[in-house]
Each structure stands twice: as C-alpha cells, then as structure tokens.
Amino acid sequence: MMDAPNQPEDTESETTGLPGLRSWRSVYLLVTAVFILWVGLLLALARIFS
C-alpha cells in the first residue's frame, strides 16, 4: 500500500519568492488594492469626461 505524499498543512504560509511580499496574504491584499484603485480611477474618469 502506498502512503500519501507529505503535504504541509498550512499552504498559505509558504513563501512567495517575491521581494517585499513574503506571504501570500500580502500578495492577495496588494492585488485587491490595485484592482480597487483601477476601478476607482475608471469611475472617476468616466464621471469627469461624460
């Protein structure tokens, strides 16, 4: 019988390999913040130029 491969219990704690962003939580927060910024800019520009 084969044993299941060992997998870490908490995959969210793995390092990202990105400089300055050491946890996946910080990556997710950055992506969300940039998305909200772009949507806000699109809404503001649409209101200004319409």
Side-chain angles (χ1 to χ4, degrees):
M1 194 154 91
M2 298 182 90
D3 292 333
N6 293 338
Q7 294 181 354
E9 292 179 12
D10 188 12
T11 57
E12 293 295 320
S13 66
E14 292 180 7
T15 59
T16 62
L18 299 171
L21 299 171
R22 295 183 181 152
S23 70
W24 284 108
R25 181 178 177 97
S26 62
V27 173
Y28 298 147
L29 290 174
L30 176 67
V31 169
T32 303
V34 170
F35 176 75
I36 291 170
L37 175 68
W38 279 107
V39 170
L41 285 172
L42 286 170
L43 291 172
L45 291 171
R47 181 173 280 194
I48 291 170
F49 291 109
S50 64

